[in-house]
Amino acid sequence: MMNQNPTHETALAFRALHIPGRPLVLPNAWDTASARLVEEAGAAAVATTSAGLAWDLGTADGDRLDRDRALGAVARVAAAVRVPVSADIESGYAKDAAGVGDTIRAVLAAGAVGVNIEDALYGREGGGEGDDGEDAGDGGRGPLRPVAEQAERIAAARAAADAAGVPLFINARIDTVLRGAGGVEETLERAAAFLAAGADGIFVPGVVDPGTVKSLVAGVEGPLNVLAGPGAPSVAELAALGVARISTGSSIAQAAHAVVRRAARELLSAGTYDSLTGGLDYVELNTLLGGAR
């Protein structure tokens, strides 16, 4: 029968996890090891971080990674876990809406049932952080795509998923606050347009003030995703505000890489190993990461 395949059912299960007040909590992963650890910790789903994934592949974040390499990594993550996977595809790895549709078909082939699509513009001259807040060079093109253009890209993503018979969860990321391109009013205008174009949820990174979060929850006609990390309200506090999804972006990857640098510097300078204290047990880790899924 039409639409009765595991991907369709997994997509429905992922969609059902977005409940205002009982948010889906996503400690973002960037490779198979981090994905399995996140799953083992009890996460109901795994979401990739574009920044962490790009760094793992030796590329800067900010629309620098090509589609094939990015989705190859997503496919490895999806194959490594049993829970639903959502892929951060930056702005769609494509120049136009038709290309975004091609990316969505590749996302589904990779085994993911959700995507983040952002409205930020990146030039080819400067770098950029796509997950947790640092601005990027825009090559003089402006910080955000025009609303109509971004809506067209989201509509192309929706059409590609619908044609495949998969209720892909499209999380439209709005970078008004992150890039200083607008406040609540501008964010809500974009959110309405993107939801009308086929998005399922709205992601507004850079917002942690409870009053602002509450205003966005009230004004967005769909599940709201916020980015959390040090200094942000707790999961319980964000849940009480009505948030439906909480993600950590690249922050876990940044913390992991900080351990690598700290341990390497200590070993090469002081010749000591204190930074390695608290590491996971070898046998436990080898068993978890070496087993088939």
Side-chain angles (χ1 to χ4, degrees), residues 117-144:
I117 303 178
E118 64 188 71
D119 61 357
L121 273 171
Y122 296 94
R124 296 302 169 192
E125 302 286 325
E129 217 305 330
D131 271 311
D132 69 356
E134 294 191 17
D135 202 359
D138 57 31
R141 302 173 64 199
L144 304 179

Side-chain angles (χ1 to χ4, degrees), residues 147-241:
V147 173
E149 179 185 345
Q150 183 66 5
E152 182 183 10
R153 295 167 74 88
I154 290 171
R158 178 84 280 147
D162 288 349
V166 179
L168 180 79
F169 191 96
I170 299 175
N171 204 29
R173 175 176 143 174
I174 299 175
D175 277 2
T176 43
V177 176
L178 199 59
R179 289 186 158 221
V184 171
E185 182 177 348
E186 292 82 2
T187 302
L188 292 178
E189 289 175 359
R190 283 182 170 261
F194 299 163
L195 289 168
D200 299 288
I202 297 297
F203 178 27
V204 188
V207 173
V208 293
D209 171 70
T212 305
V213 172
K214 188 173 182 180
S215 295
L216 290 174
V217 167
V220 172
E221 296 294 329
L224 180 70
N225 179 188
V226 299
L227 186 73
S234 69
V235 167
E237 290 170 321
L238 290 171
L241 293 171

